[in-house]
Amino acid sequence: MAEHKSPSPLRRFGRRRFIVGAGAAGVAVSAGAVIEGLASSAGAATFGYADDGKNYVINTGADLVLKISHVNGDMTSLVHKGKEYQGYNGQNSHVESGLGASTVSIKQTGSTILVKVVHGTLTHYYAARSGENNVYMWTNKADASFTATRYIVRVKPGTFPNADPDAWDATTDKIIEAGDVWRKPDGSTRSKHYSGLRVMDYDYIGWKNSAAGMWMVRSNHEKASGGPFYRSLLRHYNDGGAGLYEILHYGENQTEAERFGLQGPYVLAFTPGGAAPSAKLYARNIDTSWVDGLGLKGWTAKSGRGKVAGVGLSGRDSAYTYTIGFANADAQYWTVANATTGGFSCAGMLPGTYTMTVYKGELAVHTGTVTVTAGATTALHTMAIANDPATAGAIWRIGDWNGTPAGFKNAELLTRAHPSDKRAAAWTGNYTVGSSSAGSFPCYLWKDVNNDLLVYFKLTAAQAAAAHTLRIGLTTNFSGGRIQASVNDWTSRIPAAPTEPNTRTLTVGSYRGNNVTLTYSVPASAWQSDPGQYNVLKLTVVSGTSGSAYLSPGVSFDAIDLLA
């Protein structure tokens, strides 16, 4: 079938236009009849597409009809079982916040209809398959001409029930930070940032009601950035409508350089009765052989990809999940090691040489390199983990070395709430080694909120006679925050500011940064000589920048220990 390009509509004969369908190609019908039939009863029409003068109108031959604008490639209508879902404060669904004037074309290849949208160096694709209630999408971004990479589906208000942390009501709630964090009358907080999920934690996100489920099934994120533990916007819901996202690059709390190239497919899927989307659509399962002949710019078929397989990992801590990440300038992947053997495999990788990182929880404990070859499996021998800080002998330790603040006070709340939330325990309060629980130690420390945290501990006479190393693990900082440590009358140097993202972190649901360990050599002269007396460690956030309250310089803790 020939490709048709905007702005010219399909071939016309007077007031009649062609609808191209799997079983009725070339059948001439009136334009009004085509559009009316498609919009009113999706299941009644044949799989195919038409042109209403402004949009390409695509019927999947199932229960889904969508419209794509000739002008800018926006999705202007999304009708499932006769119900319109598209519509949020007059905005369409689109790449970024809308591309603007673009070259838009459409073609049918067998049982697939493909729309191609070209705007400058960015190319976006939509595909519909005969008999499916899915919209497949790809985005190929060649450079940084757009600051972010996302697709947002904009949904009519009131379509789905939702009272999750990413939902708010602007008629009753108050903005408390940067125009995107809200406090409800009951004191709880909401934001589009509060998904609580890392990329590796979900296959799909969306909503459901008794009639239908609407889901965004994420891609494999091979051209995205941030790694397996990155948190970003997934959806939001308010009185004006809802947004459902696929985020591929987002600048907030970003630890990696942006990657470019074709990303996808990611799939907008409708299901009956609110059922979950089919697992066949998940990134690790999806059959994309039908994509090979579509001519997508940057597409690499399965035959052009390779695999890495490892026999196992030695030196693991059985209490933790181990994730193996692969990253270079062009792509990223990850897989989870077998809990029993430590074995792992990662398929579908683009050829190239990757930095391979083994994470205990979210803490890097081993790094190496691996080369992937198309059509082949790179086999790796058992790898020994030699850089786990938890293996060092410690006099005392607060928390666990796992790259997260898990177990500390308020840690579980703050990926889905603001630190000022009424549900948060008081940020102040000191800690005594041997009697306090890790849950009483604050996960975050701010210069303007709970600074100068005190830790009380005792040493034996033998321990007090020697110098010791104090280690403080930070998962990230905000606004250049780092820790100056004092023990009794001794005060440490001020460490250099760790390299971290220069955006908001601790207030937008993310503790994830570059995971640094600050070390302090504490001389024997610093300790109390009497074993019965407490030593007092003071932790002070210092920074060359300023700010107030929860936007003052701060840090997120991983673990703290005093080595033997």
Side-chain angles (χ1 to χ4, degrees), residues 208 233 350:
K208 64 180 180 179
L233 312 185
L350 294 173

Side-chain angles (χ1 to χ4, degrees), residues 153-176:
V153 182
R154 301 190 185 272
V155 184
K156 294 176 68 174
T159 304
F160 297 100
N162 188 48
D164 288 328
D166 50 25
W168 66 92
D169 186 342
T171 66
T172 59
D173 304 345
K174 303 298 183 183
I175 293 175
I176 61 171

